Amino acid sequence: MQNTGELAGRTIFITGASRGIGKAIALKCARDGANVVIAAKTAEPHPKLPGTIYTAAREIEAAGGKCLPCIVDIRYEDQVQSAVEQAVQKFGGIDVLVNNASAISPTGTLATPMKTYDLMNNINARGTFMVSQKCLPYLKKSKNPHILNNCPPLNMEARWFKDNVAYTIAKFGMSMCVLGMAEEFRDDGIAVNAIWPKKVISTAATDNVIGFPRHMCRKADIMADAAYFILTRDSRSFTGNFAVDEDVLRGAGVEDFEQYAYVPGSPIMPCGFLDHTQQEMDTRRHLMGSARTARAARASKL
């Protein structure tokens, strides 16, 4: 999907943008000449994960944008408030908020320590609420303000809770922010939407926490392209939507989805929380089994 320049000069505040989907969205916006605020924790190189807020900032500026990297743990109100104030001081306001930061532990009830439960809910649900709250006074002043949360549709089928109750609760907390805030701020012209992948995206979480091999995944670029299409829509006419990346891009005229695959032609894992066809569910079960086998093989070598 080609850039149109519509985000030139606009300020995009993105949580968790030092790598993965957040960074892909940041780079897409930067190609328009946007101002990008990276609000993330990684200031020093991680032994297992690539990138910091500073390496991401260099990439964003090389892509044509301006960048403000801020060290932020969105569990802490003072850090969020400080980053928002720095963004406004440097760029004059905030036009778009992308709530991308998230924690994941897809574990059952007995295998989820309360420390992990608290981490997921404090980052996913509480963090999304708080960052939105701090940005909203400035979004109200924007000509085309958007909040976009990386979270799934509210699918209340038991199968999406069964194996990971705590994670689902935390992720649906982000979704409920979309549901409520879209209506609360409709009259202010602030769009609040969700974006979620049709197929699994290769990120640090899928690679290291869940253990999906990359050939089962798509690149984060598909989420960035879909997010860009949403963020360039009129905020008063497109709000309250739980959008799926592939559906968004089909509506924008994209037909080639193999371009987003790490291994074109390879079966890609359907993402959770969506109503898939029987064939897609069969593929998901097959690939989940393959991923479990691969994880067990890796663990046996440790």
Side-chain angles (χ1 to χ4, degrees):
M1 183 174 179
Q2 298 298 313
N3 281 64
T4 61
E6 293 178 61
L7 298 182
R10 291 169 59 78
T11 299
I12 321 295
F13 192 106
I14 308 179
T15 64
S18 58
R19 61 178 68 93
I21 293 170
K23 190 178 80 169
I25 295 173
L27 289 170
K28 183 70 176 178
C29 296
R31 294 184 191 107
D32 264 8
N35 308 317
V36 180
V37 183
I38 298 176
K41 295 190 299 180
T42 310
E44 299 295 331
H46 191 281
K48 295 183 179 180
L49 304 176
T52 68
I53 59 173
Y54 304 114
T55 60
R58 289 195 290 271
E59 290 184 55
I60 287 164
E61 293 185 342
K66 296 179 181 178
C67 189
L68 173 66
C70 296
I71 303 172
V72 180
D73 184 331
I74 65 169
R75 292 175 293 175
Y76 300 104
E77 187 173 8
D78 59 337
Q79 294 184 27
V80 173
Q81 184 67 54
S82 175
V84 169
E85 291 173 357
Q86 289 178 60
V88 173
Q89 183 176 10
K90 184 173 179 64
F91 297 125
I94 296 172
D95 300 292
V96 170
L97 166 62
V98 179
N99 284 307
N100 172 72
S102 188
I104 179 172
S105 179
T107 48
T109 301
L110 297 178
T112 306
M114 290 313 301
K115 180 179 179 180
T116 302
Y117 179 98
D118 291 340
L119 176 70
M120 288 191 289
N121 279 275
N122 284 336
I123 292 175
N124 301 4
R126 183 178 182 273
T128 292
F129 180 92
M130 180 165 59
V131 179
S132 300
Q133 183 188 74
K134 301 303 181 186
C135 289
L136 275 161
Y138 304 101
L139 291 168
K140 284 187 175 185
K141 300 175 184 179
S142 174
K143 293 180 180 179
N144 193 36
H146 282 263
I147 295 176
L148 182 63
N149 294 356
N150 183 357
C151 61
L154 287 164
N155 190 332
M156 292 298 168
E157 290 187 36
R159 59 183 167 140
W160 301 122
F161 290 81
K162 178 174 77 75
D163 297 321
N164 37 252
V165 174
Y167 172 64
T168 299
I169 290 171
K171 207 63 184 172
F172 278 2
M174 298 176 71
S175 305
M176 287 188 282
C177 285
V178 172
L179 188 68
M181 291 182 188
E183 198 60 32
E184 182 178 2
F185 298 102
R186 185 181 296 275
D187 290 343
D188 294 298
I190 301 174
V192 187
N193 295 292
I195 185 69
W196 192 246
K198 174 83 168 179
K199 305 289 181 69
V200 170
I201 308 297
S202 177
T203 65
T206 57
D207 294 350
N208 299 303
V209 179
I210 304 175
F212 290 148
R214 281 195 168 183
H215 71 267
M216 295 183 182
C217 303
R218 281 176 170 166
K219 300 174 185 177
D221 293 344
I222 188 171
M223 287 286 279
D225 283 356
Y228 180 83
F229 183 76
I230 292 171
L231 298 177
T232 53
R233 298 286 299 272
D234 174 25
S235 63
R236 289 189 176 273
S237 63
F238 191 82
T239 187
N241 299 287
F242 289 92
V244 175
D245 59 357
E246 193 173 304
D247 297 339
V248 169
L249 293 176
R250 286 188 192 280
V254 176
E255 297 179 356
D256 175 20
F257 291 96
E258 287 296 293
Q259 64 179 306
Y260 299 113
Y262 271 100
V263 181
S266 178
I268 307 298
M269 173 76 74
C271 204
F273 302 112
L274 300 178
D275 292 323
H276 295 293
T277 65
Q278 186 60 51
Q279 182 179 5
E280 288 171 330
M281 288 305 298
D282 290 344
T283 298
R284 180 177 169 83
R285 279 191 290 270
H286 172 71
L287 293 179
M288 286 289 283
S290 298
R292 283 193 292 270
T293 300
R295 282 200 303 272
R298 285 198 302 272
S300 68
K301 296 177 181 178
L302 296 178

